[in-house]
Amino acid sequence: MGKMKFLLQRLLDMNYKAMLDKIGSIHKKTGRSRLSILRDMQQCAVKYGAGYMDYDLFEMYNLTPEQRDTYLTRGRNNEFVLKYNEKDSIGDLDDKARFNARFQSFLHREWVPVTGENREAVLAFLGRHPVFMAKPTVGSCGRGIEKLNAADFPSLDALYDHLVEQAPRLELEEVIRQHPALDALYPDSINTARVVTLRGKSGHVYFVAAILRIGNGGKFVDNFNNGGMMAPVDVETGVVQKPAIDKQKNLYTEHPATGTAIQGFALPDWAAAKELCVQAAQAIPQVGYIGWDVCFTPDGPCLVEGNQYPGNDLYQIPAHTPDKIGMMPVFRAIEAEEARRNG
């Protein structure tokens, strides 16, 4: 019933113009008729839970049925979210201020919410951190995040008034000082690792995937959907395995701004970063499937945020999967191990 409800909701919410544009683009690439592409999309939606975006991004038109079945589609990802994340317990991940309060010991930086009723606390923070990050408490893809400098305002009171206009959905954070190795890779953004964990009913925490997200183009965010690039990381070693790719599908073996090698880049303190994620994953047992954004500092790794709906797209890009095998074998192996652990 959950699968059918998801498909029906997707049909209601679908951007049909965008779908037709994708069909036209695939038609030009493959020479297949638009009708046959549409029919194939429909079959993939029903059989694998793949939307038209999945179909295009994973190039499912080039995959055999066996290969298609290895991909973590949006529909399948939704099923894992519903299975492992209780709806009543996800609020501490959806809201950045609530996340910071719940995971304070994993942040290793100061922060303060802007509520309109805590003037003295905000002014004290601004006095200690005249350059800071201002983040909407609800949002994704790095949208709405600003790096502000108190020197650009007539006074701290004027800056406070500017901030409170955006309250109550705003929080301020101390600027993170990243590890010199990540600074050498790209200094204009905090480059983070998205580490996906799954906490099974047994209480054991499994590592699903890891991706290094890197800023580019002078932007101070590393998000793939906001000008950044990303590259797959070996979960065991913390070493980048493939070239980075951006939204336009350009590949980079080294960063265009710094010349630092991306493929083969070793994340510092990787064992500590994994342990950080294991400990954080135990904090809310009712939310078992989480994508952690981990930052690396000179003093060790820390959390930036957690995502209760880890995306399904970043880990299965065709440029990174030459064998045309997606993420489902990883999930199936985890669930088989869970069945063994639970007897």
Side-chain angles (χ1 to χ4, degrees):
M1 187 64 183
K3 181 177 180 180
M4 289 305 300
K5 183 178 179 181
F6 175 80
L7 288 173
L8 288 172
Q9 190 62 50
R10 292 292 296 148
L11 286 172
L12 291 173
D13 296 340
M14 189 177 298
N15 183 335
Y16 287 94
K17 182 182 182 303
M19 182 186 72
L20 292 174
D21 288 344
K22 291 295 184 186
I23 290 174
S25 173
I26 295 167
H27 164 71
K28 289 181 181 179
K29 291 178 186 176
T30 65
R32 293 177 57 182
S33 74
R34 289 175 171 82
L35 181 59
S36 69
I37 294 168
L38 175 60
R39 287 174 175 168
D40 198 33
M41 277 185 176
Q42 292 171 334
Q43 291 175 359
C44 286
V46 173
K47 191 168 184 180
Y48 310 110
Y52 70 89
M53 294 291 289
D54 287 339
Y55 185 88
D56 176 64
L57 180 64
F58 303 144
E59 298 178 359
M60 298 187 85
Y61 47 85
N62 284 334
L63 303 179
T64 66
E66 292 77 18
Q67 290 168 337
R68 290 175 172 183
D69 194 40
T70 68
Y71 278 77
L72 177 69
T73 61
R74 182 168 179 175
R76 286 171 165 176
N77 195 51
N78 186 65
E79 289 176 5
F80 283 119
V81 169
L82 292 176
K83 180 176 181 178
Y84 289 101
N85 296 348
E86 294 181 11
K87 187 175 181 179
D88 293 340
S89 302
I90 63 176
D92 286 345
L93 295 174
D94 279 343
D95 185 291
K96 289 183 177 62
R98 289 176 61 180
F99 176 87
N100 286 358
R102 183 67 176 263
F103 292 90
Q104 179 70 59
S105 62
F106 301 96
L107 301 182
H108 302 171
R109 63 189 179 278
E110 278 197 83
W111 71 281
V112 65
V114 180
T115 67
E117 300 176 352
N118 62 337
R119 181 186 184 89
E120 295 306 317
V122 173
L123 289 176
F125 173 91
L126 296 175
R128 292 189 298 273
H129 306 289
V131 179
F132 61 94
M133 306 304 297
K135 299 182 179 182
T137 58
V138 179
S140 61
C141 299
R143 297 186 185 96
I145 296 176
E146 293 184 284
K147 187 175 185 179
L148 298 179
N149 189 333
D152 295 330
F153 294 81
S155 65
L156 288 186
D157 287 329
L159 174 54
Y160 174 80
D161 291 340
H162 169 77
L163 295 169
V164 85
E165 288 177 1
Q166 304 174 61
R169 294 188 174 274
L170 186 72
E171 55 100 10
L172 314 180
E173 294 186 9
E174 176 184 355
V175 175
I176 296 172
R177 184 166 61 99
Q178 70 180 341
H179 192 283
L182 276 302
D183 226 28
L185 184 59
Y186 183 70
D188 293 339
S189 75
I190 299 301
N191 308 298
T192 62
R194 168 65 62 85
V195 183
V196 181
T197 60
L198 195 155
R199 182 187 185 279
K201 304 302 181 183
S202 67
H204 185 77
V205 177
Y206 302 87
F207 287 89
V208 176
I211 292 284
L212 176 60
R213 308 188 308 171
I214 313 164
N216 194 19
K219 294 191 175 184
F220 59 81
V221 294
D222 63 353
N223 196 280
F224 181 68
N225 293 306
N226 200 359
M229 59 180 77
M230 56 89 178
V233 174
D234 183 275
V235 170
E236 295 302 321
T237 65
V239 175
V240 176
Q241 297 297 295
K242 302 275 176 46
I245 190 170
D246 63 18
K247 193 74 171 179
Q248 290 70 44
K249 299 184 180 181
N250 299 307
L251 293 173
Y252 304 89
T253 56
E254 56 187 39
H255 201 289
T258 64
T260 302
I262 296 174
Q263 188 170 3
F265 183 88
L267 289 167
D269 303 316
W270 183 244
K274 289 179 68 175
E275 181 59 26
L276 179 79
C277 292
V278 169
Q279 295 302 318
Q282 302 288 7
I284 310 179
Q286 299 85 357
V287 186
Y289 179 34
I290 299 176
W292 307 102
D293 291 342
V294 179
C295 173
F296 302 85
T297 80
D299 301 317
C302 64
L303 289 184
V304 176
E305 64 181 37
N307 302 270
Q308 59 86 15
Y309 197 101
N312 67 302
D313 52 353
L314 300 184
Y315 323 104
Q316 307 170 110
I317 301 292
H320 293 155
T321 54
D323 56 0
K324 298 183 178 181
I325 302 298
M327 290 297 301
M328 281 304 294
V330 175
F331 283 88
R332 288 167 179 153
I334 288 173
E335 295 214 304
E337 175 61 17
E338 267 297 285
R340 187 191 68 79
R341 286 177 178 270
N342 293 320

